[in-house]
Amino acid sequence: MLSRARLSRRSFLGGALTTAGAAGLVLAGCGGGGEEEKGTPQRGEGKPKRGGTIRYPVTTPILSLDPNTTEGVSVAPNFYSYVVHATDWHQPDETIGDLAESWETPTEVDWIFHVRGDAVFQKLPPANGRPVVAEDIVKSIDRYRGMPGANSSWDQWTERYQAPDTRTFTILTKKPYGYMLMDLGSPLTAIIPTEAVDEFGDLKSHAVGSGPYMLKTYDRNQGLALIRNPSYYHEFPYVDEFDIRVLPDEASIQAAFRAGSVDVYMATDKLKADTVRSVGGTSIKTFLDRLYTVFELNATRVEAFKDERVREAIDLALDRQAMIDKLYFGDAELAGPVPPLWPAALPKEEIAQAYQRDVEKAKQLLSAAGHENLSFVLSFGNYSNVADLASIIKSNLADAGITVNLKPGEVGSWLSDLMGGNFESTAFIHLRYLSDFIQINWAHSHGWARTEQGYLGVDDAQVDSMLDQVNGTIDVQARIKLEQDVQRLVLKRHGPTLVLYEPYGYWCSYDYIKGYTPTAYGFGEFKYDYWIDKG
């Protein structure tokens, strides 16, 4: 969901490359010799207290504050309100109201949102504390739609949207659209005062919203300091300040955490979490991350990939459990077309059965297809653990007689090739999406965005038709059933996008931070009722 826009080179990998960044830091506490806990809401921690500062580290520069761009989306929820929130801190894929106190769908194409009356923009020029009205939603969506790379769903599905009065916002869709709430809950659809755009020209270094925090200082290479918004329409946040600090690498963050100069640390695997396990007064919480990894076959470049027998042979030769054991020390889950965190995910047992390795059958399929000497290039970007993954894939496929030539590359150039379809095969880590829209729709013949760039040379009219049904189904339970049906078909057809696994993450935090629910989206995104209690 974070990237349902047509992604820029930087934004496509934002969640994967900045796992210690503002869009990627999550609870997985470390240390003190205590037991490691699964990520669950904290309870029995007493009454919230006001005051204090939480210091939160990231490894990448904060390139922009503009909420309508993917460069600013990771910090935008701190400053801005939204019509609704798509969350994962209570239940995956759940939508809760924000500016919308309630909503209704009198027909499958009509959406009516009732806007709260106590929301005001922050008491900063040029909005100066004026009330948020429904017309602000209209103008904010207009601005977002006009930004380069804006979400194409608005054009594909929406007939019109308007504000008949100050507290009512309505949408009419061209046909039923099951992911409307997910679009409105995207961090890219922040509600802004358009006079701020008129005043500043853009919002790259200015933030005037109606959200929980106000901007104190900002330096793209140093970080930003936030202060509590006293006019926010909830009693939280309870902390006075929230500092996001840019540190050069994960080792620097580990050192800062051990020294007590930052309060949280997201470790990307168990070994890294172990480096701070001995720090007193801390605890470990693990969570199933939303990052997931795929191996993609491009039949527009390798004719053999059009043959389902070849794709099945490749799939059968992959040892996903070995990948999990070697790359994540066993702390990851096998992932189907919709990864396991989501309600629409297939049962674990069914996924495990679909991924049974069978090298001998793979060899037989290749022989029957006339491709016993299959050879192709596997391109990948040098980030995270993708190089190690590529080596495992090469070794796995060699067991079936397939030759894989590895082609590592600088992330920018590799990503440019990926987005342009200039590769034979590739492996990469997906972003942390707020909806399963992209996961399930990646199986479409032309990708989730329905573009020529998303075409991998394999047409499947049956899958495409089923996905159209999924996208047009508003009832959640009915949509889940359809998603599971199409996943079973996708697994049977074997690609051309082969999903591999979804890892666990580790959030290291000092125990004086209370009231936080572990999520995969950064400390407190969309949920700001944490507090500090140092006794």
Side-chain angles (χ1 to χ4, degrees):
M1 185 61 187
L2 274 172
S3 57
R4 294 241 341 246
R6 295 176 186 136
L7 303 180
S8 68
R9 291 170 55 187
R10 183 184 304 278
S11 67
F12 184 86
L13 290 171
L17 290 174
T18 60
T19 50
L25 183 38
V26 267
L27 281 171
C30 311
E35 291 294 319
E36 189 169 297
E37 301 177 38
K38 290 296 182 184
T40 55
Q42 297 182 30
R43 302 183 186 279
E45 296 183 316
K47 185 178 179 180
K49 296 183 178 181
R50 291 198 178 276
T53 300
I54 290 179
R55 301 156 299 174
Y56 175 73
V58 299
T59 58
T60 56
I62 300 167
L63 301 175
S64 172
L65 303 181
D66 195 317
N68 295 149
T69 68
T70 50
E71 290 181 337
V73 72
S74 64
V75 295
N78 293 296
F79 303 116
Y80 294 94
S81 299
Y82 299 79
V83 179
V84 295
H85 285 324
T87 77
D88 80 332
W89 51 261
H90 180 258
Q91 177 178 321
D93 215 12
E94 183 182 40
T95 304
I96 61 174
D98 187 14
L99 289 175
E101 291 181 308
S102 62
W103 58 90
E104 57 202 69
T105 51
T107 74
E108 287 192 323
V109 295
D110 284 292
W111 297 76
I112 302 173
F113 297 87
H114 303 285
V115 180
R116 65 190 307 141
D118 58 350
V120 297
F121 287 112
Q122 294 156 2
K123 294 181 180 178
L124 300 169
N128 297 311
R130 73 163 177 83
V132 179
V133 296
E135 186 63 25
D136 291 312
I137 300 174
V138 173
K139 291 180 178 178
S140 296
I141 293 174
D142 284 345
R143 180 182 189 255
Y144 169 56
R145 290 183 67 188
M147 300 291 285
N151 189 334
S152 60
S153 292
W154 289 99
D155 300 323
Q156 294 174 10
W157 295 91
T158 308
E159 183 70 31
R160 66 174 179 270
Y161 50 90
Q162 56 192 8
D165 58 60
T166 58
R167 297 190 57 187
T168 307
F169 171 67
T170 65
I171 298 176
L172 176 66
T173 59
K174 297 175 181 177
K175 52 186 176 180
Y177 179 41
Y179 290 95
M180 177 54 69
L181 292 177
M182 294 295 105
D183 281 349
L184 285 174
S186 164
L188 287 164
T189 51
I191 307 308
I192 64 175
T194 54
E195 56 260 50
V197 180
D198 296 337
E199 173 87 8
F200 304 123
D202 60 49
L203 299 175
K204 293 180 180 180
S205 57
H206 300 276
V208 184
S210 55
Y213 291 102
M214 301 167 62
L215 180 63
K216 182 179 180 182
T217 61
Y218 166 56
D219 183 304
R220 58 181 287 161
N221 296 311
Q222 300 297 320
L224 67 156
L226 318 175
I227 56 174
R228 183 174 66 87
N229 175 14
S231 59
Y232 189 47
Y233 43 83
H234 292 296
E235 66 174 9
F236 49 81
Y238 298 114
V239 298
D240 289 335
E241 296 195 20
F242 189 74
D243 289 352
I244 300 176
R245 301 181 178 183
V246 177
L247 296 176
D249 50 45
E250 195 165 351
S252 300
I253 292 177
Q254 292 169 356
F257 184 80
R258 285 193 291 266
S261 56
V262 297
D263 303 296
V264 296
Y265 159 50
M266 157 50 170
T268 52
D269 62 48
K270 182 178 287 187
L271 288 186
K272 292 174 182 174
D274 285 346
T275 65
V276 294
R277 183 177 295 277
S278 62
V279 177
T282 67
S283 44
I284 295 177
K285 293 188 183 297
T286 65
F287 61 93
L288 185 56
D289 206 340
R290 289 175 181 266
L291 296 175
Y292 68 105
T293 301
V294 300
F295 177 37
E296 203 164 72
L297 311 173
N298 188 354
T300 69
R301 296 302 181 101
V302 179
E303 186 71 20
F305 293 158
K306 292 183 179 180
D307 192 321
E308 188 175 309
R309 294 169 297 181
V310 172
R311 300 197 305 273
E312 182 178 2
I314 292 171
D315 207 354
L316 287 170
L318 294 174
D319 190 341
R320 290 171 171 83
Q321 190 58 52
M323 298 173 190
I324 289 172
D325 293 341
K326 292 178 180 179
L327 299 176
Y328 295 98
F329 312 100
D331 277 0
E333 300 286 344
L334 295 173
V338 172
L341 184 65
W342 301 97
L346 292 172
K348 276 186 175 183
E349 300 77 14
E350 192 170 341
I351 293 297
Q353 184 61 39
Y355 290 159
Q356 289 292 316
R357 192 179 193 225
D358 192 334
V359 174
E360 289 307 311
K361 185 177 179 181
K363 291 178 179 178
Q364 293 168 12
L365 287 166
L366 290 170
S367 178
H371 289 289
E372 299 96 328
N373 299 313
L374 181 64
S375 175
F376 58 86
V377 174
L378 169 54
S379 305
F380 59 91
N382 279 318
Y383 71 97
S384 188
N385 58 12
V386 180
D388 292 331
L389 169 63
S391 294
I392 295 173
I393 292 174
K394 177 177 179 175
S395 176
N396 285 173
L397 299 189
D399 292 343
I402 300 170
T403 300
V404 175
N405 300 300
L406 300 184
K407 182 184 176 183
E410 183 272 327
V411 171
S413 59
W414 163 79
L415 186 53
S416 179
D417 286 342
L418 173 68
M419 304 302 279
N422 184 27
F423 63 93
E424 293 186 0
S425 75
T426 189
F428 57 89
I429 302 171
H430 269 289
L431 284 163
R432 296 178 171 97
Y433 301 123
L434 271 171
S435 160
D436 56 10
F437 174 91
I438 287 183
Q439 289 98 313
I440 190 65
N441 279 280
W442 206 278
H444 190 279
S445 298
H446 286 269
W448 65 269
R450 307 290 196 269
T451 63
E452 285 303 313
Q453 289 80 6
Y455 182 55
L456 294 176
V458 178
D459 292 291
D460 196 321
Q462 187 179 1
V463 169
D464 294 351
S465 176
M466 293 177 73
L467 289 173
D468 287 341
Q469 283 185 277
V470 168
N471 295 337
T473 301
I474 293 176
D475 181 83
V476 174
Q477 293 306 311
R479 189 168 72 237
I480 287 173
K481 183 181 183 304
L482 288 170
E483 284 188 75
Q484 292 183 331
D485 288 343
V486 74
Q487 286 180 80
R488 293 184 176 104
L489 181 59
V490 169
L491 289 173
K492 184 178 179 181
R493 301 282 168 82
H494 302 280
T497 297
L498 304 174
V499 185
L500 303 177
Y501 49 75
E502 184 172 56
Y504 283 86
Y506 305 81
W507 189 79
C508 315
S509 71
Y510 279 84
D511 292 337
Y512 50 73
I513 299 178
K514 306 292 186 181
Y516 182 73
T517 303
T519 83
Y521 288 114
F523 189 89
E525 184 163 296
F526 298 147
K527 188 176 187 293
Y528 305 96
D529 54 350
Y530 45 80
W531 70 95
I532 296 173
D533 186 352
K534 293 187 176 181

